Amino acid sequence: MLLRIAYSKLETAKYIAHLDLTRVFERAMRRAKIPMAYSEGFNPHPKIAFGSALAVAVEGEREYVDVELRQDMDIREVLGRLQEQLPSGIRLLEGSVVETGSKALMAVLNAASYLIRVPMALPIGPERLAEGMDAWLKREHIPFARYSKKGRTDKDIRPWVKRLTGSVEGDAVIVELEVEVGNSGSVRPEEVLASLRDLENLPFDLEALQIKRTGIYVHYEGQHYSPLDPDHKRGFRSEAR
Amino acid sequence: MSNTTTHIREQVERFLPKVLKPSRYLGAEWNSIHKDWDETDVHMVFAFPDVYEVGMSHLGTRILYHLVNSLPRFACERVFAPWVDMEEKMRARGIPLYALESFRPIRDFDVLGFTLQYEMSFSNILNMLDLAGIPLRTNERGQEDPWVIAGGPCAYNPEPLAPFIDFALLGESEEQLPEVLNLVAEQKKNPVSRREFLLKVAQVQGVYVPEFYQVDYQEDGRIAGIIAEPGVPKMVEKAIVKDLDTAFFPTNPIVPYMEIVHDRMMLEVMRGCSRGCRFCQAGMIYRPVRERSPETLLRQTEELVRSTGYGEISLTSLSSGDYSCIQPVVQEIVTKYSPERVGVSLPSLRIDSFDVKLAQEVQKVRKSGLTFAPEAGTQRLRDVINKGVTEENLMEATEAAFKAGWSSIKLYFMIGLPTETQEDLEGIVHLAKNVANLGNKLGRRNVNVTVSTSSFVPKSHTPFQWEPQERQASLEAKQKYLKEKLRDRRIKYNYHDASTSFLEAVFAKGDRRLADVLEHAFRAGCRFDGWSEHFRYDVWLESFRELGIDPSFYAHRALDYDDVLPWNHLESGVKKRFLMQEHFQALQEARTLDCRHNDCTGCGVCPDRGVQIDLKG
Ligand code: SF4
């Protein structure tokens, strides 16, 4: 039985690294005596698959995970038993059975929204903020340098950004951001803010960013679907045509 | 006070996203215990002077954390050495070292207990004291500072740390530590002077208060004598748990979120090892052998699986293959838990008791390489060190392993052992090649033999404590020789850095005069000496030079039986007479058999301490 579960990852749970999350769920399931399905082979691993990774220290209000069980169980019982064994900060929101062989979360989720609180190094007014954001959005290409062990790569981050708004709240700016997530990657919220700071001279103090991912979706024809919503598959059919 | 803790938490959370592995510093793991500060009488913080993932893997730490917390009057929290990036950020913002559970400054605790697992962590102890804002030396501390105590294997010679610790705990702490904490509780209620308190603590079995022992030196640098003040034991003897089967063992250990070094359940099947390898300190200081019963172990397994959810259980001890009920216990666990995908692992497999069926049982869930430790290349040298394995044993064990499908074998050896000659080095090459050839002969493709050598470090309380360490240049020449001779695409050769082993020997056999060197090196920036990327040998050498102390005096000098050793007044229960006899036997290339299956060989611990070997099978 394949279960798709929506959960939130808040407070100190935001420090649990994405790579560690499979283990956290596997152990919680074993404590809860929920029979997981395992892969074949020398090193069998539990069939647990997440949607797109959440960076360390970023909270997630609604994330998804697929878990395959060895036998059918009542979904409410699974959620109840599992919840008791999860670290505080991870709350299960809802779950539903999906057909085995359904497309993986990674393959269907293609949009994400963020809420960001960024303190200002110098106070600015709402007009100045809106001006900067508009100017940024009007740019066609926005190259951004990423550094890795292999060296520097420049990529255009503009195409990934779908929506960007901001408001001033005390000595901080609250940014709402919507981005596209795809197989070829995406843009990280802190990259958008760094680019805004550098290109539009917005005085953001990036040291003390607080980022929350408010949702991650299947985006199709201007609509956001939850991967728990059977309608989310409409997009695939039309793609196939 | 709670202001301080919220303040620390807020500050830390600000930069936590920017440090490596923030999970190291949060303390809200599954099964961690958060006790109410005001509801408990004594607050202890258990300190492991290395990074989180190493410290959390240590069984003793797990046992004592839960032991102290199992007692209603006491609260125990944890602290580890912050990794260098975290330290930098803490220092830059003036954040003191804090305990993981409550984010309370370490300074606020009554007792700060360090575990001494290896000498190369000593500089981290000073760094942690400094980060905590606690004066390094006991004579600079005030009443408000915690008692700084230390236990673990290096507490059998804590002399290089003498000025920094109030007292050390020798031996097994399951009974001793609660007794000490009771005295601390009493002291908080009805305080007496520091001296009076320490005099009381010194009466507890295995407690050693360095300042009550006066050490005098001769002109040539050797120790003239160690004199105990009146009212404290002349000989401090370790504490022993008589009945391991009923001793405290935590079945609800903390399950970290991040991956740690030994990321699995640990089941302590027995304590002690009487194989009698003459270089091995653990084999001497944890005597006699005491086992847990299969019933106890199976009950603990069930509790561990339910409380942790781990998918692997390791049957740990110094030599789990020697546990008398190993077969039935492994069988039972595998049968009962493999449907839940819980695998069993054994950390060490003996060559002479290697049982391929057992190994297969253990590997049912996970496949990995097999490790054997012949330790020396020839029968002669293996007799010298009393490692009771033969080449035949090794070939039989590896044959069985190859036939059962393994193709990777790891072999551990030591170089620089007493009496070692060229022939013994050739022996290592010969064994490695024979194993690889055997694998090919048996039709294994991708045969893969990894040879690792460490350099012999003479340790206190062993028959080899009087032996010198071989000089670095010649150890390095041996490593080079092996590297050349083991050039073979089926064989991989690893070796330990000889300068690290040298410092390890200096501190393992060191005395109080090294404390100044340690402090100097710490102030000059030494920490994480066990991590090659942070080990600064030049700074250490500079510190020795600066203070006019010759490290070679400690590592390279052959000691005399009449010499007063820095640890002369500290006893593991194994008598000096026995160690001398064993040293003599070593030089005669004569074996001493395991007292578990043969006659008592007279090490002295059983009759003197009213304990006995306790086997369950
Ligand atoms: S006293 Fe005898 S039986 Fe006991 S541990 Fe020592 S050698 Fe073995």
Side-chain angles (χ1 to χ4, degrees):
Chain A
M1 173 167 100
L2 185 60
L3 267 183
R4 179 158 290 174
I5 301 172
Y7 65 95
S8 62
K9 185 168 175 268
L10 305 170
E11 295 141 32
T12 47
K14 73 181 176 200
Y15 293 110
I16 300 175
H18 184 71
L19 283 174
D20 297 331
L21 211 50
T22 307
R23 266 194 306 269
V24 169
F25 270 83
E26 180 189 358
R27 289 169 190 163
M29 303 259 276
R30 197 177 280 110
R31 290 193 291 263
K33 288 198 171 186
I34 298 168
M36 291 167 277
Y38 279 81
S39 64
E40 302 293 320
F42 270 165
N43 264 312
H45 46 86
K47 293 191 173 167
I48 298 176
F50 293 90
S52 106
L54 198 57
V56 170
V58 175
E59 291 186 311
E61 275 184 345
R62 195 178 166 89
E63 298 290 311
Y64 300 95
V65 61
D66 282 347
V67 190
E68 198 175 322
L69 305 188
R70 255 197 331 262
Q71 67 194 52
D72 288 354
M73 284 180 77
D74 176 57
I75 193 156
R76 269 166 317 178
E77 194 189 329
V78 172
L79 296 185
R81 265 164 47 186
L82 183 56
Q83 181 64 68
E84 279 176 30
Q85 301 297 333
L86 284 166
S88 70
I90 298 184
R91 304 285 319 164
L92 303 182
L93 306 173
E94 60 173 313
S96 71
V97 180
V98 293
E99 283 165 50
T100 15
S102 287
K103 273 199 174 183
L105 284 166
M106 282 286 254
V108 303
L109 295 168
N110 57 5
S113 58
Y114 291 92
L115 190 67
I116 306 151
R117 184 180 186 281
V118 55
M120 289 182 281
L122 290 168
I124 56 163
E127 311 76 35
R128 168 84 185 80
L129 178 67
E131 218 174 86
M133 287 189 161
D134 280 348
W136 193 85
L137 283 168
K138 286 213 180 79
R139 292 172 189 262
E140 238 168 87
H141 298 288
I142 302 182
F144 191 88
R146 278 189 185 167
Y147 298 88
S148 71
K149 278 180 204 131
K150 281 177 226 137
R152 173 184 162 144
T153 43
D154 281 309
K155 62 164 229 162
D156 184 7
I157 58 174
R158 180 62 189 87
W160 301 103
V161 177
K162 292 296 154 210
R163 203 167 71 87
L164 173 69
T165 58
S167 59
V168 175
E169 208 185 278
D171 54 1
V173 171
I174 307 297
V175 178
E176 282 182 49
L177 172 70
E178 221 176 279
V179 301
E180 211 175 284
V181 182
N183 287 333
S184 49
S186 181
V187 59
R188 288 196 287 266
E190 61 271 30
E191 293 175 336
V192 173
L193 292 182
S195 174
L196 278 165
R197 183 193 57 184
D198 298 344
L199 298 179
E200 313 299 346
N201 286 319
L202 291 174
F204 293 157
D205 173 8
L206 300 178
E207 282 295 297
L209 272 186
Q210 284 171 2
I211 309 175
K212 187 182 271 183
R213 182 150 80 187
T214 44
I216 177 154
Y217 321 91
V218 182
H219 177 93
Y220 172 62
E221 284 186 349
Q223 287 274 19
H224 280 168
Y225 296 95
S226 149
L228 285 173
D229 174 355
D231 273 354
H232 85 266
K233 288 184 188 152
R234 283 168 48 199
F236 314 155
R237 272 181 231 118
S238 69
E239 261 168 41
R241 268 183 234 137
Chain B
M1 212 30 82
S2 75
N3 257 339
T4 331
T5 69
T6 357
H7 178 70
I8 293 179
R9 188 186 285 272
E10 269 173 23
Q11 290 262 69
V12 168
E13 285 217 30
R14 247 187 225 182
F15 57 76
L16 218 41
K18 304 217 166 46
V19 302
L20 287 166
K21 306 184 181 177
S23 289
R24 285 169 170 164
Y25 310 106
L26 283 160
E29 310 94 321
W30 194 255
N31 286 337
S32 60
I33 298 170
H34 301 253
K35 281 197 171 183
D36 189 311
W37 189 264
D38 299 318
E39 298 285 304
T40 41
D41 296 340
V42 176
H43 311 116
M44 171 165 180
V45 56
F46 204 91
F48 196 101
D50 207 323
V51 77
Y52 176 89
E53 54 268 40
V54 173
M56 283 305 293
S57 301
H58 178 242
L59 181 62
T61 303
R62 295 188 190 184
I63 295 176
L64 295 180
Y65 172 78
H66 289 276
L67 169 79
V68 175
N69 278 320
S70 73
L71 302 165
R73 298 178 66 192
F74 308 139
C76 188
E77 303 197 9
R78 291 162 298 150
V79 64
F80 301 89
W83 191 243
V84 287
D85 61 336
M86 180 70 172
E87 177 187 341
E88 194 192 303
K89 291 200 159 35
M90 289 171 74
R91 286 196 188 274
R93 289 162 182 77
I95 298 171
L97 193 66
Y98 61 89
L100 293 191
E101 278 74 3
S102 64
F103 279 67
R104 219 170 251 278
I106 298 302
R107 250 190 341 253
D108 291 358
F109 285 78
D110 302 308
V111 179
L112 167 56
F114 283 100
T115 179
L116 311 179
Q117 294 300 314
Y118 31 85
E119 290 81 6
M120 301 313 281
S121 68
F122 286 179
S123 61
N124 277 3
I125 294 178
L126 299 197
N127 193 33
M128 288 170 81
L129 286 171
D130 188 62
L131 272 169
I134 298 171
L136 298 188
R137 297 190 181 241
T138 56
N139 59 14
E140 296 162 350
R141 291 187 204 133
Q143 280 196 330
E144 290 306 301
D145 288 307
W147 297 105
V148 178
I149 69 176
C154 298
Y156 282 94
N157 180 27
E159 291 303 280
L161 295 171
F164 312 117
I165 54 174
D166 293 298
F167 52 96
L169 305 182
L170 268 61
E172 299 165 341
S173 287
E174 277 100 335
E175 288 150 25
Q176 167 197 54
L177 181 58
E179 239 184 278
V180 167
L181 295 180
N182 275 328
L183 290 174
V184 174
E186 173 60 28
Q187 170 71 0
K188 279 182 83 176
K189 228 181 357 181
N190 304 306
V192 293
S193 73
R194 169 188 165 82
R195 201 187 142 74
E196 264 175 276
F197 170 73
L198 289 175
L199 272 171
K200 272 200 252 174
V201 181
Q203 311 310 315
V204 176
Q205 182 75 50
V207 172
Y208 168 52
V209 183
E211 65 194 54
F212 290 152
Y213 298 77
Q214 164 78 35
V215 183
D216 294 309
Y217 304 94
Q218 304 178 16
E219 243 163 57
D220 63 4
R222 289 183 302 159
I223 295 175
I226 301 173
I227 300 157
E229 281 194 21
V232 299
K234 281 199 180 52
M235 280 286 194
V236 180
E237 289 181 2
K238 75 167 179 191
I240 308 184
V241 169
K242 285 196 180 140
D243 185 357
L244 190 70
D245 206 35
T246 56
F248 177 86
F249 188 79
T251 52
N252 56 340
I254 293 175
V255 185
Y257 296 131
M258 64 176 281
E259 195 171 3
I260 59 170
V261 179
H262 297 298
D263 208 4
R264 53 187 75 95
M265 298 174 268
M266 286 193 242
L267 192 62
E268 191 188 23
V269 296
M270 66 175 171
R271 214 172 268 180
C273 171
S274 47
R275 289 267 177 176
C277 298
R278 290 173 180 135
F279 55 83
C280 178
Q281 190 189 45
M284 296 293 153
I285 63 178
Y286 291 108
R287 287 177 178 225
V289 169
R290 290 142 297 156
E291 297 185 338
R292 281 205 167 97
S293 66
E295 300 74 53
T296 304
L297 294 175
L298 292 169
R299 177 175 50 74
Q300 291 176 345
T301 304
E302 172 64 18
E303 292 171 11
L304 281 165
V305 174
R306 294 282 71 87
S307 77
T308 67
Y310 268 121
E312 184 179 346
I313 187 162
S314 165
L315 307 195
T316 58
S317 73
L318 291 169
S319 170
S320 298
D322 287 336
Y323 171 50
S324 63
C325 311
I326 190 76
Q327 191 81 50
V329 168
V330 168
Q331 208 101 58
E332 182 90 30
I333 296 177
V334 168
T335 315
K336 190 156 173 215
Y337 297 98
S338 56
E340 286 191 64
R341 303 290 175 146
V342 175
V344 179
S345 66
L346 293 176
S348 53
L349 291 165
R350 292 276 314 184
I351 303 169
D352 44 355
S353 59
F354 179 69
D355 181 334
V356 75
K357 275 211 217 82
L358 183 63
Q360 277 172 310
E361 223 33 290
V362 163
Q363 302 290 337
K364 230 177 211 162
V365 186
R366 277 171 188 82
K367 272 251 180 243
S368 65
L370 280 179
T371 304
F372 296 112
E375 308 286 8
T378 61
Q379 195 55 49
R380 185 200 66 80
L381 191 53
R382 285 192 295 272
D383 288 344
V384 168
I385 63 176
N386 204 34
K387 185 91 197 176
V389 302
T390 62
E391 178 165 353
E392 236 181 340
N393 292 147
L394 177 65
M395 294 327 263
E396 274 168 19
T398 46
E399 176 166 353
F402 284 132
K403 281 189 176 154
W406 272 279
S407 52
S408 304
I409 307 275
K410 286 189 198 138
L411 299 176
Y412 281 164
F413 295 95
M414 252 186 243
I415 57 171
L417 283 164
T419 79
E420 185 185 57
T421 64
Q422 179 61 23
E423 210 175 302
D424 301 304
L425 290 184
E426 283 161 16
I428 294 177
V429 178
H430 163 88
L431 284 181
K433 298 221 157 159
N434 277 5
V435 168
N437 292 340
L438 180 67
N440 288 143
K441 206 178 94 196
L442 293 169
R444 306 297 321 167
R445 270 174 291 150
N446 351 324
V447 171
N448 173 346
V449 180
T450 306
V451 174
S452 299
T453 63
S454 60
S455 301
F456 166 67
V457 177
K459 295 266 164 148
S460 70
H461 301 89
T462 67
F464 287 166
Q465 63 182 356
W466 294 283
E467 287 285 338
Q469 185 179 52
E470 189 165 336
R471 293 199 179 252
Q472 270 176 81
S474 95
L475 287 171
E476 277 157 8
K478 289 180 175 179
Q479 290 168 343
K480 196 162 154 246
Y481 170 84
L482 288 174
K483 208 169 145 186
E484 267 158 31
K485 292 290 171 185
L486 290 171
R487 211 167 276 153
D488 180 320
R489 60 184 168 73
R490 303 164 301 172
I491 302 175
K492 195 170 164 246
Y493 175 51
N494 299 324
Y495 53 90
H496 285 260
D497 169 45
S499 50
T500 308
S501 306
F502 169 62
L503 264 195
E504 202 182 320
V506 172
F507 280 94
K509 299 218 284 176
D511 58 37
R512 292 181 184 189
R513 289 170 294 185
L514 292 182
D516 293 343
V517 180
L518 186 57
E519 184 172 346
H520 190 281
F522 150 67
R523 297 218 184 270
C526 288
R527 61 213 57 182
F528 286 110
D529 297 303
W531 296 74
S532 54
E533 70 265 44
H534 293 297
F535 181 53
R536 295 171 64 189
Y537 188 51
D538 50 333
V539 177
W540 275 104
L541 290 187
E542 179 55 35
S543 304
F544 280 105
R545 246 196 316 271
E546 194 72 31
L547 291 155
I549 288 178
D550 177 14
S552 183
F553 171 82
Y554 296 97
H556 297 143
R557 194 169 43 105
L559 305 181
D560 210 88
Y561 290 150
D562 293 333
D563 280 342
V564 179
L565 305 172
W567 53 91
N568 236 30
H569 51 310
L570 306 176
E571 223 200 61
S572 71
V574 173
K575 294 280 171 269
K576 185 175 176 187
R577 188 175 26 80
F578 176 77
L579 297 178
M580 281 161 57
Q581 188 185 307
E582 278 297 290
H583 187 221
F584 180 78
Q585 292 283 89
L587 301 177
Q588 303 300 306
E589 299 168 8
R591 298 272 338 264
T592 298
L593 298 181
D594 189 337
C595 61
R596 221 172 337 193
H597 313 298
N598 303 281
D599 293 340
C600 166
T601 52
C603 80
V605 70
C606 297
D608 272 31
R609 302 298 306 279
V611 286
Q612 53 190 2
I613 299 181
D614 184 4
L615 304 184
K616 303 294 186 194

